[in-house]
């Protein structure tokens, strides 16, 4: 049995940021990570070149993540569409539609008023369906919003989505970290005590005291616990607390959406034409392209229940579906150019069980409610607890880790 000032469950960026701030505040902290690596839903593949399996973009020129990027001397490049009127094209019947520019303008026009919505009873699906536009415009608008949020639009609260957009201060540009996104958790973990391969099975607690039991038999005790496990794990009650967590907390967890997304990565030869983003009517709603030093990678992206179904198909079938979808936009010849393929999903990972949170219809103030400490002993934080516009992001998770550390250090 090992004793610390604070035990933290989960070495994603929320847990790492919290531990770093607590350590700098003089606390002795241990992080327990179920997986064999740190970073949570950040994972970089370097088999051929630097490719992101999980989080891919730094969302915004003002994102908190930039503090770490600059401190570490990392290189990031913009992946920006700002000011472009034709970056998104639409693929059908093996070709790019010639009216793509008009389609994109119509799709964004159909979404425009959504960002001012204040009616808590309206779903994104209902909002878009009420627009006086052709069916295909409604289809692509719902695909766009739903896939970004990793949710089906029937479940998405238009008002909460709009409120988050208004409150966000991270900026509009997107960036890729060329050195690999995993350099962020690596930097945060420097100097911290982290135990990977330590899945927690049970937390026994009373006010001012926690006992944390791991599957490998290790036991840790402390006056306080911070748990940063994804909502997918909490929703299935896979992390056991004795006594059980209060209904005020579990009820709030149930009201926050936790979505699914998946990617297909296609390594292709240089003969494939360049494009910024292609939308299709297939399973994978969107494809984008990266030109790396030694290769070209096409990424297909899907969110919501389609992503769950793709995961359930198995990797081989999900890859074939993705190749069919990109062929619907670029023609059957694309098959000959694919050198390697990989399917990536978090929903079948037993320590994650989904992708990231989304503003579920009927969510209310649940994000704020899960920030409340339980008896000044149990604290939850993560991207899902961010209530000021940065939920579902890496920088949001970093901010909540720091905020939780401040709660513990200063009350």
């Amino acid at each position: 049995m090992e004793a610390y000032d604070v035990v933290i469950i989960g070495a994603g960026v929320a847990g790492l940021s919290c531990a770093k701030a607590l350590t700098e505040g003089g606390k002795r902290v241990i992080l327990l990570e179920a997986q064999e690596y740190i970073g949570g839903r950040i994972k970089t593949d370097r088999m051929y070149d630097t490719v992101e399996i999980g989080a891919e973009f730094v969302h915004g020129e003002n994102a908190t993540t930039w503090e770490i990027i600059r401190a570490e001397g990392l290189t990031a490049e913009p992946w920006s569409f700002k000011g472009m009127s034709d970056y998104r094209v639409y693929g059908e019947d093996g070709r790019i539609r010639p009216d793509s520019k008009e389609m994109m303008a119509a799709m964004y026009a159909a979404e425009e008023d959504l960002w001012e919505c204040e009616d808590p009873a309206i779903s994104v699906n209902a909002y878009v369906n009420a627009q006086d536009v052709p069916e295909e415009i409604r289809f692509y608008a719902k695909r766009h919003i739903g896939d970004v949020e990793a949710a089906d639009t029937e479940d998405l609260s238009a008002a909460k989505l709009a409120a988050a957009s208004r409150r966000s201060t991270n900026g509009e540009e997107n960036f890729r970290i060329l050195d690999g996104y995993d350099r962020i958790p690596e930097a945060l973990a420097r100097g911290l005590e982290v135990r990977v391969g330590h899945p927690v099975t049970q937390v026994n607690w009373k006010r001012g005291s926690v006992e944390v039991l791991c599957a490998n038999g290790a036991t840790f005790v402390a006056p306080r616990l911070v748990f940063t496990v994804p909502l997918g794990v909490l929703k299935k009650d896979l992390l056991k607390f004795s006594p059980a967590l209060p209904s005020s907390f579990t009820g709030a967890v149930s009201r926050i959406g936790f979505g699914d997304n998946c990617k297909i990565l296609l390594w292709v030869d240089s003969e494939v034409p360049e494009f910024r983003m292609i939308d299709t009517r297939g399973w994978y709603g969107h494809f984008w392209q990266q030109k790396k030093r030694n290769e070209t990678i096409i990424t297909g992206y899907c969110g919501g229940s389609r992503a769950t179904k793709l995961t359930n198909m198995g990797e081989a079938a999900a890859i074939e579906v993705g190749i069919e979808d990109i062929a619907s936009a670029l023609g059957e010849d694309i098959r000959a150019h694919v050198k390697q393929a990989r399917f990536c999903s978090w929903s079948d990972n037993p320590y994650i069980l989904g992708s990231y949170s989304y503003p579920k219809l009927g969510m209310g103030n649940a994000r704020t409610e899960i920030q409340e400490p339980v008896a000044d002993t149990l604290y939850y934080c993560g991207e899902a607890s961010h209530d000021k516009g940065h939920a579902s992001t890496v920088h949001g998770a970093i901010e909540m880790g720091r905020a939780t550390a401040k709660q513990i250090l200063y009350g």
Side-chain angles (χ1 to χ4, degrees), residues 25-46:
K27 299 295 184 182
R28 186 165 179 250
V29 181
I30 181 74
L31 287 115
L32 305 176
E33 171 55 50
Q35 303 189 95
E36 295 295 338
Y37 68 94
I38 64 170
R41 286 159 275 176
I42 294 174
K43 192 171 186 180
T44 303
D45 184 318
R46 292 185 172 83

Side-chain angles (χ1 to χ4, degrees), residues 236-278:
K236 292 187 178 295
D237 194 27
L238 297 180
L239 177 59
K240 300 297 183 181
F241 287 80
S242 180
L245 292 167
S247 59
S248 57
F249 180 87
T250 58
V253 167
S254 70
R255 299 200 314 274
I256 304 171
F258 193 66
D260 272 348
N261 69 18
C262 61
K263 291 180 180 180
I264 180 175
L265 302 174
L266 303 175
W267 285 263
V268 299
D269 63 35
S270 58
E271 296 182 41
V272 173
E274 289 194 38
F275 59 85
R276 295 285 283 182
M277 181 173 287
I278 296 174

Side-chain angles (χ1 to χ4, degrees), residues 73-189:
L74 304 178
T75 303
E77 68 175 8
W79 191 70
S80 175
F81 299 141
K82 192 175 182 181
M84 296 179 65
S85 62
D86 58 354
Y87 68 83
R88 186 184 294 270
V89 297
Y90 300 83
E92 282 183 11
D93 302 323
R95 67 185 182 93
I96 301 300
R97 288 180 56 153
D99 60 347
S100 286
K101 188 172 181 178
E102 293 77 15
M103 286 276 293
M104 188 182 97
M107 185 189 81
Y108 281 113
E111 299 174 9
E112 187 172 358
D113 292 341
L114 171 66
W115 310 111
E116 302 301 324
C117 180
E118 296 183 355
D119 187 338
I122 295 179
S123 70
V124 168
N125 190 69
Y127 170 84
V128 175
N129 283 343
Q131 304 306 299
D132 185 19
V133 296
E135 182 279 332
E136 65 178 357
I137 299 299
R138 291 196 297 270
F139 174 86
Y140 282 116
K142 288 188 285 187
R143 272 290 179 91
H144 172 224
I145 300 169
D147 282 3
V148 167
E149 299 300 323
D152 294 338
T153 53
E154 295 89 344
D155 296 330
L156 269 173
S157 167
K160 287 294 185 182
L161 193 62
S165 177
R166 291 193 296 269
R167 300 190 75 182
S168 172
T169 59
N170 56 293
E172 297 181 5
E173 302 279 4
N174 288 294
F175 302 84
R176 283 195 180 95
I177 302 174
L178 301 187
D179 311 85
Y181 221 135
D182 61 356
R183 295 291 299 277
I184 300 299
E186 284 176 9
L188 290 170

Side-chain angles (χ1 to χ4, degrees), residues 340-351:
Q340 179 75 23
R342 179 171 181 178
F343 177 72
C344 315
S345 173
W346 296 110
S347 61
D348 57 353
N349 183 315
Y351 304 119

Side-chain angles (χ1 to χ4, degrees), residues 200-213:
V200 173
T201 57
Q202 176 82 26
V203 175
N204 300 319
W205 70 280
K206 60 184 179 181
R207 180 180 286 274
S209 176
V210 295
E211 179 188 48
V212 181
L213 310 179

